[in-house]
């Protein structure tokens, strides 16, 4: 039987209305796939400020806990660590549950009186008077029975707190699970080798089927619904962390593909058949991202960047407007605009409701050249932002899309406010150069330099444009004018030296490079590359005339390669 049935009309409506219904193209604005993937999802509820949230499962659940706790939410599972010094030594991974049957065990023992916890099912004597709980992390050393009992009580008490939590987050980890034939219970982790040596027939590895995992999850959710909060909401995820190793004969890559496929299809079936369950695509985010950005060198553990992306995306998407401190967001725009985008970037519902939040996101997007977000916020800041800034933002968006003609139409009229004139002339100059209108660019550079007599930027940018057209003498004059104002500004020196290199004027380039004092790591790297420059006979000089029949490429505005902040970037070949 199909999981989902849609009428033809509804299917057509969906594909038209869904902005994420097709794959993003490389290079397009707001590419949600590269380098770190950001799959779309639709939260069906919101967190309430400071409420209790219960987390179950593998590593991603632990990462979510940290972010939630830092934002003022109450996390009962974090209290377990304070119950035992040994727990604190090992860390929060002590709570990891990897397989659906292991998650079901903990929920049964905490909530279901029919399946109360039994020591015979969990405690195992490793050597004289030293025991372990086979459902806990192996890093816990064997201890006297009283200690093991105290640890289990702390965990049971924490899980019983689930009754009062409206939000439960469950992460599914793997489908290779160990089964104890004597107790009829699935273990959370593999038994110790000494246990298998002592009881070779007692433990079995089970590679679970889709139906087995789904059955465990359905029972888990039924218990949560029956014994938990009356308005309980569940967020279900699949851990992106692959199997560290497989006990099967297969390659771990093949075994992991099966394991994750089972968990992902179960998650889809559960979400579609339980109206109180949402699915969050952390698994897709990591596995669809570029591997060098998503995984550590061990090819198993996600990088800090992708963990932060997913935890922050999930938390901010479920945070309600009442939990946001608008004043704190405003204050962070100057020093940490990335934080504003992390909080509001995917919450258009919030900026629709609150003009202050719309202005904050608009300002942060402008500072970080996030044209996709700038375009999204424009409808919500009219009346809040001066009209000339709106026009300039529209022109920036057009330039980012490669539409210099559209940008020039928007920039036809010089604004009256002095506060935006520098930005206006900067953008107009870039647009004229991108449109290959060198004469117009000269006029714009002259007007800009008359308005702002101490800025070297009009001369630097026009110099690059002239050099690209083979006007080397004019370019050199402009560079000298820029340097007379820049006081050995490193970006101008590096640009000038690179032009000299391409003209085989290496001694002059060396004397320019000797004056460079890099202002950031990117400029340092560029300086090193220019010092190590090797003549490439096959590469035409920037100022050289194009070969017969070869069309000269137009210029476009791109972010500066040396990392120096600038409103529109330096000019390079398209």
């Amino acid at each position: 039987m199909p999981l989902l049935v849609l009428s033809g009309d509804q299917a057509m409506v969906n594909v038209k209305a869904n902005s994420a219904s097709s794959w993003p193209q490389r290079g397009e604005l707001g590419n949600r796939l590269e380098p770190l993937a950001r799959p779309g999802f639709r939260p069906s509820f919101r967190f309430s400020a400071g409420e209790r949230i219960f987390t179950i499962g593998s590593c991603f659940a632990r990462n979510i806990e940290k972010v939630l706790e830092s934002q003022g939410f109450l996390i009962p599972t974090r209290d377990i660590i304070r119950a035992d010094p040994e727990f604190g030594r090992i860390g929060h991974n002590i709570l990891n549950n990897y397989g659906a049957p292991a998650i079901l065990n903990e929920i049964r023992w905490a909530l279901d009186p029919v399946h109360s916890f039994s020591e015979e099912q969990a405690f195992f004597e490793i050597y004289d008077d030293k025991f372990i709980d086979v459902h806990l992390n192996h890093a816990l050393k064997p201890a006297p029975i009283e200690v093991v009992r105290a640890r289990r009580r702390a965990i049971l008490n924490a899980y019983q707190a689930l009754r009062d939590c409206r939000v439960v987050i469950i992460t599914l980890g793997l489908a290779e699970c160990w089964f104890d034939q004597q107790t009829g219970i699935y273990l959370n982790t593999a038994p110790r080798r000494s246990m298998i040596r002592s009881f070779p027939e007692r433990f079995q590895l089970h590679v679970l089927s889709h139906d087995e995992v789904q059955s465990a999850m359905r029972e888990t959710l039924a218990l949560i619904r029956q014994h938990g909060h009356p308005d309980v909401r569940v967020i279900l995820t699949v851990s992106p962390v692959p199997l560290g190793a497989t006990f099967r004969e297969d390659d771990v890559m093949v075994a992991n593909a099966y394991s994750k496929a089972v968990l992902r299809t179960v998650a889809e079936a559960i979400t579609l058949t339980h109206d109180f369950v949402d699915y969050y695509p952390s698994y897709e985010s990591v596995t669809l991202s570029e591997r060098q950005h998503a995984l550590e060198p061990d090819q198993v553990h996600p990088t800090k960047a992708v963990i932060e992306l997913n935890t922050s995306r999930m938390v901010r998407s479920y945070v309600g407007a009442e939990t946001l401190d608008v004043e704190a967001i405003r204050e962070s725009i100057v020093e940490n605009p990335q934080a504003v985008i992390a909080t509001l970037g995917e919450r258009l519902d919030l900026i629709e409701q609150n003009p202050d939040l719309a202005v904050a996101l608009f300002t942060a997007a402008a500072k970080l050249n996030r044209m996709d977000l700038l375009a999204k916020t424009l409808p919500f800041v009219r009346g809040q932002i001066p009209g000339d800034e709106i026009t300039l933002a529209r022109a920036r968006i057009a330039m980012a899309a490669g539409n210099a003609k559209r940008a020039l139409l928007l920039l036809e009229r010089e604004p009256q406010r002095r506060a935006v004139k520098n930005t206006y002339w900067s953008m107009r100059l870039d647009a004229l150069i991108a449109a290959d209108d060198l004469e117009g660019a000269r006029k714009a550079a002259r007007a800009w330099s008359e308005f702002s007599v101490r800025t070297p930027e009009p001369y630097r940018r026009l110099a690059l444009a002239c050099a690209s057209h083979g006007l080397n003498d004019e370019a050199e004059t402009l560079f000298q004018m820029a340097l007379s104002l820049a006081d050995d500004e490193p970006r101008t020196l590096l640009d000038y030296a690179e032009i000299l290199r391409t003209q085989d004027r290496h001694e002059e380039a060396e004397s320019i490079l000797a004056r460079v004092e890099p202002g950031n790591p990117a400029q340092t790297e560029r300086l090193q590359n220019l010092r190590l420059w090797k003549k490439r006979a096959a590469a035409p000089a920037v100022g050289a005339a194009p070969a017969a029949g070869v069309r000269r490429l137009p210029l476009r505005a791109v972010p500066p390669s040396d990392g120096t902040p600038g409103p529109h970037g330096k000019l390079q070949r398209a």
Side-chain angles (χ1 to χ4, degrees), residues 280-319:
Y280 176 74
S282 58
Y283 171 72
E284 288 81 354
S285 175
V286 176
T287 57
L288 291 174
S289 292
E290 296 175 0
R291 293 186 69 84
Q292 67 269 30
H293 294 289
L295 296 176
E296 296 288 356
D298 65 5
Q299 299 277 23
V300 173
H301 292 94
T303 60
K304 182 179 179 181
V306 80
I307 290 171
E308 289 180 349
L309 169 71
N310 277 283
T311 53
S312 61
R313 281 190 85 216
M314 196 199 83
V315 172
R316 71 174 178 256
S317 295
Y318 282 91
V319 166

Side-chain angles (χ1 to χ4, degrees), residues 263-280:
L263 301 180
R264 180 61 188 90
T265 54
V266 167
E268 190 74 7
I270 292 294
T271 304
L272 289 174
T273 54
H274 293 71
D275 59 6
F276 62 99
V277 179
D278 282 3
Y279 175 73
Y280 176 74

Side-chain angles (χ1 to χ4, degrees), residues 77-116:
T77 48
R78 304 287 280 187
D79 294 334
I80 300 176
I81 303 304
R82 292 183 277 272
D84 187 302
E86 190 73 359
F87 285 0
R89 180 184 67 81
I90 297 169
H92 293 89
N93 286 344
I94 192 71
L95 304 176
N96 286 355
N97 291 102
Y98 300 99
I103 293 172
L104 174 58
N105 286 341
E106 298 293 349
I107 299 299
R108 275 177 171 171
W109 294 331
L111 303 182
D112 187 0
V114 178
H115 294 91
S116 57

Side-chain angles (χ1 to χ4, degrees), residues 159-192:
Y159 269 86
Q160 285 165 1
L162 184 150
R163 299 176 187 272
D164 302 319
C165 295
R166 186 180 68 93
V167 178
V168 180
I169 302 173
I170 302 176
T171 302
L172 302 177
L174 48 79
E176 283 191 18
C177 298
W178 283 87
F179 185 71
D180 183 346
Q181 295 193 92
Q182 180 173 310
T183 63
I185 296 290
Y186 277 99
L187 307 184
N188 183 34
T189 59
R192 296 179 181 230

Side-chain angles (χ1 to χ4, degrees), residues 494 520-527 561-564:
L494 290 168
N520 57 50
Q523 289 179 350
T524 300
E525 182 179 1
R526 189 179 178 199
L527 175 62
S561 61
D562 59 9
T564 307

Side-chain angles (χ1 to χ4, degrees), residues 13-316:
V13 168
N14 287 352
V15 78
K16 289 181 180 179
N18 182 4
S19 62
S21 65
S22 59
W23 292 89
Q25 298 296 308
R26 183 166 290 131
E28 74 177 24
L29 287 177
N31 182 347
R32 67 185 193 283
L33 184 59
E34 298 171 322
L36 296 179
R38 303 182 301 279
F41 63 102
R42 299 184 304 278
S44 65
F45 66 96
R46 301 293 181 206
F47 297 162
S48 298
E51 73 173 317
R52 293 160 67 85
I53 297 177
F54 201 88
T55 54
I56 313 170
S58 58
C59 303
F60 185 67
R62 309 285 80 82
N63 293 320
I64 286 291
E65 287 174 350
K66 296 177 187 177
V67 178
L68 290 170
E69 192 171 51
S70 70
Q71 297 200 12
F73 294 97
L74 301 177
I75 313 298
T77 48
R78 304 287 280 187
D79 294 334
I80 300 176
I81 303 304
R82 292 183 277 272
D84 187 302
E86 190 73 359
F87 285 0
R89 180 184 67 81
I90 297 169
H92 293 89
N93 286 344
I94 192 71
L95 304 176
N96 286 355
N97 291 102
Y98 300 99
I103 293 172
L104 174 58
N105 286 341
E106 298 293 349
I107 299 299
R108 275 177 171 171
W109 294 331
L111 303 182
D112 187 0
V114 178
H115 294 91
S116 57
F117 179 80
S118 168
E119 292 184 359
E120 288 74 20
Q121 295 176 335
F123 295 171
F124 195 101
E125 188 173 21
I126 296 297
Y127 42 84
D128 290 345
D129 297 324
K130 299 293 184 182
F131 295 81
I132 63 167
D133 185 331
V134 296
H135 297 281
L136 297 183
N137 194 303
H138 283 178
L140 282 171
K141 297 178 181 178
I145 190 66
E146 294 80 10
V147 174
V148 177
R149 284 171 176 157
R151 290 170 180 169
R152 174 49 62 179
R153 280 196 301 272
I155 291 174
L156 287 172
N157 289 337
Y159 269 86
Q160 285 165 1
L162 184 150
R163 299 176 187 272
D164 302 319
C165 295
R166 186 180 68 93
V167 178
V168 180
I169 302 173
I170 302 176
T171 302
L172 302 177
L174 48 79
E176 283 191 18
C177 298
W178 283 87
F179 185 71
D180 183 346
Q181 295 193 92
Q182 180 173 310
T183 63
I185 296 290
Y186 277 99
L187 307 184
N188 183 34
T189 59
R192 296 179 181 230
R193 293 182 183 274
S194 61
M195 296 166 62
I196 295 177
R197 284 195 298 269
S198 299
F199 303 95
E201 302 300 322
R202 177 171 174 175
F203 302 102
Q204 294 179 333
L205 176 72
H206 288 189
V207 178
L208 301 184
S209 69
H210 176 278
D211 289 346
E212 288 173 309
V213 176
Q214 183 170 207
S215 175
M217 283 307 303
R218 288 188 181 280
E219 185 175 347
T220 296
L221 292 170
L223 288 169
I224 292 173
R225 196 68 183 269
Q226 180 181 354
H227 300 285
H229 193 282
D231 187 33
V232 68
R233 294 290 184 269
V234 175
I235 300 174
L236 184 59
T237 72
V238 172
S239 172
V241 180
L243 288 170
T246 181
F247 292 96
R248 304 172 65 182
E249 293 180 331
D250 296 328
D251 188 311
V252 67
M253 292 186 284
V254 176
N256 181 71
Y258 170 80
S259 183
K260 297 300 183 182
V262 166
L263 301 180
R264 180 61 188 90
T265 54
V266 167
E268 190 74 7
I270 292 294
T271 304
L272 289 174
T273 54
H274 293 71
D275 59 6
F276 62 99
V277 179
D278 282 3
Y279 175 73
Y280 176 74
S282 58
Y283 171 72
E284 288 81 354
S285 175
V286 176
T287 57
L288 291 174
S289 292
E290 296 175 0
R291 293 186 69 84
Q292 67 269 30
H293 294 289
L295 296 176
E296 296 288 356
D298 65 5
Q299 299 277 23
V300 173
H301 292 94
T303 60
K304 182 179 179 181
V306 80
I307 290 171
E308 289 180 349
L309 169 71
N310 277 283
T311 53
S312 61
R313 281 190 85 216
M314 196 199 83
V315 172
R316 71 174 178 256

